[in-house]
Amino acid sequence: YGFSAITDVPACFAHIMSHRLKLSQIPPGKKQEFNNFQNAGFTDVAKGDPYQDGFRNIRFDLIKDGRSWDYRQAIEEVQAVKNAAEGEKKVAFQRNADKAVDKREGAMAVRDGDKNHKAAASAWSTVKK
């Protein structure tokens, strides 16, 4: 199964360590993503792995219309809701997406082009337009 270089826990057990996060525990860069999902009508549960004084590897369980959505599909739905929105609500979606892109691009730069952050930055960039 291998070991995670980050946590030194067997990868097959890494998901067991995840904790459901309170809003105050979600890191700022992920909070914008969380807010956009909620504003688009998702029931959004954030989970993360304990690390030092906080959490990392933040993930979202996204539910809308009685079904689970994967991350990419949920961003596409946020895009559709944003496009139908007007005024300040539309601007809020764009502002949150812009901050999410900045955070993801920064993480990508630090992590030598991390493919997951690159994909997320690309997806969120469609919402910020």
Side-chain angles (χ1 to χ4, degrees):
Y1 285 108
F3 285 85
S4 166
I6 297 170
T7 60
D8 292 327
V9 172
C12 62
F13 296 120
H15 64 88
I16 296 171
M17 293 177 44
S18 292
H19 291 274
R20 184 178 176 152
L21 305 180
K22 298 178 207 170
L23 186 59
S24 63
Q25 295 173 311
I26 300 172
K30 291 287 190 167
K31 202 169 284 187
Q32 281 79 28
E33 293 180 26
F34 182 88
N35 289 339
N36 263 353
F37 288 131
Q38 283 201 325
N39 290 338
F42 286 92
T43 300
D44 188 0
V45 175
K47 294 181 179 176
D49 301 331
Y51 180 73
Q52 295 177 353
D53 292 335
F55 295 90
R56 67 173 171 198
N57 298 325
I58 309 301
R59 297 167 301 286
F60 300 114
D61 290 340
L62 300 158
I63 305 211
K64 183 176 180 181
D65 300 330
R67 72 176 182 99
S68 293
W69 295 61
D70 71 30
Y71 186 78
R72 180 77 178 189
Q73 291 172 326
I75 293 174
E76 290 170 2
E77 177 68 4
V78 169
Q79 169 74 4
V81 172
K82 184 227 34 166
N83 287 342
E86 296 179 0
E88 179 53 35
K89 185 166 185 170
K90 187 172 195 165
V91 170
F93 277 117
Q94 292 168 317
R95 184 177 50 245
N96 285 337
D98 187 46
K99 290 176 183 177
V101 169
D102 286 349
K103 175 69 174 162
R104 292 298 191 139
E105 287 178 343
M108 190 173 57
V110 169
R111 294 186 180 99
D112 196 30
D114 180 281
K115 66 179 182 163
N116 293 323
H117 287 295
K118 184 175 183 176
S122 176
W124 281 113
S125 69
T126 64
V127 178
K128 77 177 201 173
K129 293 179 185 178

